[in-house]
Amino acid sequence: MFLSLQLLLLLTLTVRTGGYYQYTTNECLASSPDLTDVEYIVTYHFNKDPVMRFNSTVGEFVGFTEFGVKQAKYFNGLPYLQQLQGELESYCKHNLENDFSVVLEKAVAPRIKLRAEKQPSGGHTAMLMCSAYDFYPPAIDVYWLRDGKKVTTDVISTEELSDGDWYYQVHSHLEYTPRSGEKISCVVEHASFSGPMTYDWDPSLLESERSKIAIGASGLVLGIILSAAGFIYYKKKSSGRILVPS
Ligand SMILES: *[C@@H]1O[C@H](CO)[C@@H](O)[C@H](O)[C@H]1NC(C)=O
């Protein structure tokens, strides 16, 4: 009741002040980010009704009312048409490009880590893991190349896992029997890259792991030898004391 009363008041006021309202809308329409089908629509309205419209695909104005048809005919004879057609590039495409690159296609490149999960030993299979961290958007493609050919078997990949902070991570495992001289690579495709990024597996990384183990083992052996020597020395000294009592 209260609401309808207010509405009535508003209508009366509008009529009393003689509300005539002419306005133009400029719309840029695109269905894909490559901007091949951008359409520029300029519509003239009077009191909410469309009077005439310029459609860049049509290339001229079309009138909707008697006045609109007249006005369209007039406008279609002016250089104004070329100006509007130019705005398809300078206004629509220019702004849409910014919208897509700054907002809609905002992408953050993944951090890639390639490592051995299981080392090859005595003819057994090895496992490599290729991980992509902290990327956005979640759409990503991670796959393996063996001597340049895509590996389709013995690959297990996780889903794109959400980190809960807008970023995602994904992991792909490759199980394989190493052959000497072969080249294994992990390839990542993501919107943040201009093309596929290839990360080659360097088996010498395994060597460095091995040398780390060797250094550790040598240290351990040295430690045992020194402890044993110390212990023997201590035993000899203390037993010497027992043998020669004062
Ligand atoms: C513009 O004109 C084209 C060709 O007639 C038509 O396919 C398209 O739907 C029109 N666009 C709008 C928004 O009316």
Side-chain angles (χ1 to χ4, degrees):
M1 185 65 188
F2 176 68
L3 198 95
S4 57
L5 246 170
Q6 262 200 332
L7 237 154
L8 201 77
L9 203 82
L10 198 86
L11 277 172
T12 324
L13 270 175
T14 316
V15 172
R16 268 204 197 140
T17 52
Y20 299 110
Y21 187 32
Q22 193 274 323
Y23 64 99
T24 320
T25 53
N26 302 55
E27 300 162 72
C28 298
L29 312 174
S31 64
S32 83
D34 60 21
L35 306 182
T36 48
D37 62 348
V38 181
E39 215 163 58
Y40 185 36
I41 310 291
V42 181
T43 313
Y44 283 72
H45 305 258
F46 185 73
N47 284 353
K48 286 192 179 174
D49 291 325
V51 176
M52 60 174 177
R53 172 174 293 161
F54 170 82
N55 176 336
S56 62
T57 308
V58 178
E60 57 178 24
F61 278 95
V62 173
F64 301 124
T65 63
E66 197 186 330
F67 171 73
V69 170
K70 247 192 227 167
Q71 189 68 19
K73 202 175 161 198
Y74 172 67
F75 273 10
N76 288 341
L78 296 180
Y80 182 41
L81 279 192
Q82 279 76 56
Q83 184 199 318
L84 290 181
Q85 206 65 45
E87 283 174 9
L88 175 69
E89 293 290 329
S90 63
Y91 173 65
C92 283
K93 288 194 184 173
H94 177 74
N95 284 315
L96 282 170
E97 253 166 39
N98 287 343
D99 292 341
F100 275 113
S101 66
V102 178
V103 185
L104 297 172
E105 287 182 344
K106 195 128 192 80
V108 179
R111 206 158 33 81
I112 307 295
K113 210 163 178 182
L114 182 55
R115 58 180 167 244
E117 276 256 287
K118 199 168 83 188
Q119 307 207 355
S121 53
H124 286 296
T125 58
M127 196 189 280
L128 295 183
M129 176 157 82
C130 187
S131 302
Y133 296 99
D134 299 328
F135 58 88
Y136 185 87
I140 197 166
D141 204 6
V142 179
Y143 55 91
W144 298 87
L145 293 182
R146 197 172 192 178
D147 284 330
K149 274 197 220 95
K150 193 167 176 173
V151 182
T152 48
T153 55
D154 302 317
V155 175
I156 301 165
S157 297
T158 65
E159 312 241 310
E160 291 84 1
L161 306 163
S162 171
D163 291 348
D165 57 1
W166 293 95
Y167 295 119
Y168 288 80
Q169 58 177 288
V170 75
H171 308 274
S172 182
H173 305 261
L174 169 73
E175 196 163 17
Y176 72 111
T177 312
R179 288 189 299 249
S180 70
E182 71 185 343
K183 196 172 124 189
I184 292 182
S185 322
C186 171
V187 186
V188 181
E189 291 187 29
H190 188 252
S192 59
F193 299 147
S194 53
M197 294 288 275
T198 306
Y199 304 86
D200 294 332
W201 171 241
D202 182 2
S204 68
L205 290 177
L206 273 183
E207 300 301 318
S208 77
E209 290 283 306
R210 260 191 221 132
S211 62
K212 262 186 223 154
I213 292 169
I215 291 167
S218 316
L220 185 67
V221 169
L222 196 69
I224 289 170
I225 290 170
L226 285 176
S227 314
F231 185 67
I232 289 164
Y233 178 72
Y234 165 77
K235 270 277 174 188
K236 268 207 173 143
K237 267 215 143 172
S238 55
S239 60
R241 248 186 240 137
I242 294 158
L243 277 175
V244 190
S246 58

